[in-house]
Amino acid sequence: MKPAKRPTVHDIAAAAGVSRGTVSRVLNGGYVSAEARAAIETAMSDLGYVPNNAARALKMRRSQAVAFVALEPHSLFLDDPNIGAIMLGANAALSLADHQMVSLVVESARDTERVARYLSGGFVDGAIVVSARTKDPIIKVISDLSLPAAFVGHPPELDQHIPFVGIDNVGSARAITEHLRSTGRRRIGMIAAALDRDSGIDRLTGFRSALGDLFDEDLVADVPHYDYGSGVKGMRDLLEREPAIDGVFAASDAIAAGALEVLREAGRSVPGDVAVAGFDDSTWAVRTQPQLTTVHQPAKEIGSCAAQVVLRQLRGEPTDAGGQLLPTPLVLRDSA
């Protein structure tokens, strides 16, 4: 008895009532109408078609993998809900296109060298880069390799031909600070984090812009990371410098949570004595008491968009010049 014939792309096309080119686009992660995709997927299921990904990857010299490069300390990579959400969004989009995601964490110069060798070795077809610092060597690595890539955020040195996905950090920080002013606060400080990257610099710029003549350099506490511990340190510094402080913009929700703990220990009520606003609308925002007024950062959507940008490059499609900025509405809760 002869073994059953393996169904081909031609068989799928005939059963679905579409062209072979349309079937190929579905198999390679390209765009087709929802109706055509449903018909093709039904035909594949009915005929028992299993794509030969290994053969296709060998023919196209593709790995079917995309790197997710996070430039963060290992502890923050695990604890930061934003990075997790960005990663999940990217993975979901890549999975739909039948690509794997490879996570690479960069914390040191040695890590950068190791990751550069990996990216140049043909193990991945593209890269999504998160949390690159100003003058970060990974920017040159990506540029020199001409690797299809998308950056989350926009480091100043990023080449114009490398696309990015992000948010308007300046406008968002300005909006949340203006909200603090609208509640009658006059001595407003900021716990400013990550001033070695575009997001941190831009949030401080927006804060300064919103305050105008009320801005006081002494009421800016510079901390290294967007984490809880930095919020504790920054809030203690602000209280020591200005006991009469009545408003705080924290550069992330995790920082705001740390600030709330210090204010509680100091006997300051929130928002009665001090209004506190965060940034991200992460899980931290609803775990605190009171819950945080904050800026919603669409982290999962950012990850998905970044992955789509890389996939479009792999398909030879044009990408948006100047990058993509996603909306960031204010979320008003009880802390301010």
Side-chain angles (χ1 to χ4, degrees), residues 115 121 124 135 137 154 166 250 267 276 318 322 331:
V115 169
V124 295
K135 298 181 181 179
H154 187 258
V276 177
V331 181

Side-chain angles (χ1 to χ4, degrees), residues 65-196:
V66 172
F68 184 90
V69 184
L71 294 106
E72 292 282 8
H74 290 74
S75 58
L76 290 187
F77 179 75
L78 296 174
D79 292 343
D80 190 328
N82 268 335
I83 292 179
I86 292 169
M87 184 167 63
L88 289 174
N91 185 66
L94 293 172
S95 179
L96 285 174
D98 203 24
H99 282 63
Q100 305 300 320
M101 189 175 75
V102 179
S103 296
L104 304 170
V105 182
V106 177
E107 188 175 14
S108 64
R110 184 168 178 266
D111 287 341
T112 299
E113 294 173 2
R114 171 181 55 81
V115 169
R117 290 195 301 270
Y118 184 84
L119 294 178
S120 64
F123 301 106
V124 295
D125 302 325
I128 298 163
V129 183
V130 181
S131 299
R133 270 66 172 171
T134 300
K135 298 181 181 179
D136 201 302
I138 198 69
I139 300 171
K140 187 175 187 302
V141 169
I142 296 293
S143 181
D144 289 349
L145 290 173
S146 297
L147 188 70
F151 277 66
V152 172
H154 187 258
E157 301 82 13
L158 191 65
D159 288 349
Q160 292 185 352
H161 71 276
I162 300 178
F164 70 92
V165 178
I167 61 172
D168 178 4
N169 281 290
V170 174
S172 300
R174 183 187 301 118
I176 196 72
T177 306
E178 288 173 347
H179 171 73
L180 285 173
R181 289 194 64 176
S182 74
T183 65
R185 313 295 162 158
R186 301 292 293 174
R187 297 295 286 162
I188 303 174
M190 179 180 178
I191 307 176
L195 295 180
D196 58 348

Side-chain angles (χ1 to χ4, degrees), residues 91-333:
N91 185 66
L94 293 172
S95 179
L96 285 174
D98 203 24
H99 282 63
Q100 305 300 320
M101 189 175 75
V102 179
S103 296
L104 304 170
V105 182
V106 177
E107 188 175 14
S108 64
R110 184 168 178 266
D111 287 341
T112 299
E113 294 173 2
R114 171 181 55 81
V115 169
R117 290 195 301 270
Y118 184 84
L119 294 178
S120 64
F123 301 106
V124 295
D125 302 325
I128 298 163
V129 183
V130 181
S131 299
R133 270 66 172 171
T134 300
K135 298 181 181 179
D136 201 302
I138 198 69
I139 300 171
K140 187 175 187 302
V141 169
I142 296 293
S143 181
D144 289 349
L145 290 173
S146 297
L147 188 70
F151 277 66
V152 172
H154 187 258
E157 301 82 13
L158 191 65
D159 288 349
Q160 292 185 352
H161 71 276
I162 300 178
F164 70 92
V165 178
I167 61 172
D168 178 4
N169 281 290
V170 174
S172 300
R174 183 187 301 118
I176 196 72
T177 306
E178 288 173 347
H179 171 73
L180 285 173
R181 289 194 64 176
S182 74
T183 65
R185 313 295 162 158
R186 301 292 293 174
R187 297 295 286 162
I188 303 174
M190 179 180 178
I191 307 176
L195 295 180
D196 58 348
R197 68 181 87 162
D198 61 298
S199 61
I201 295 169
D202 287 351
R203 290 175 199 180
L204 177 56
T205 298
F207 173 75
R208 181 194 295 262
S209 171
L211 287 184
D213 293 340
L214 291 180
F215 177 77
D216 184 345
E217 190 77 46
D218 288 338
L219 293 186
V220 176
D222 178 2
V223 296
H225 303 301
Y226 291 121
D227 65 341
Y228 181 92
S230 292
V232 170
K233 179 182 182 305
M235 193 67 244
R236 285 176 177 160
D237 288 348
L238 288 177
L239 283 176
E240 183 176 334
R241 297 176 196 176
E242 175 53 281
I245 192 168
D246 61 2
V248 175
F249 167 42
S252 78
D253 292 340
I255 289 174
L260 287 177
E261 180 60 29
V262 172
L263 289 169
R264 186 177 298 110
E265 290 174 354
R268 306 293 179 89
S269 67
V270 177
D273 297 325
V274 184
V276 177
F279 199 108
D280 291 331
D281 197 24
S282 68
T283 52
W284 280 105
V286 293
R287 286 160 50 191
T288 61
Q289 289 296 329
Q291 293 187 351
L292 290 172
T293 285
T294 187
V295 175
H296 176 73
Q297 179 167 201
K300 191 171 183 179
E301 291 82 356
I302 288 172
S304 178
C305 286
Q308 293 290 355
V309 168
V310 173
L311 291 169
R312 284 200 294 273
Q313 292 173 73
L314 293 176
R315 295 193 294 262
E317 300 172 4
T319 56
D320 297 331
Q324 295 176 252
L325 295 179
L326 277 61
T328 52
L330 298 188
V331 181
L332 304 182
R333 298 192 178 96

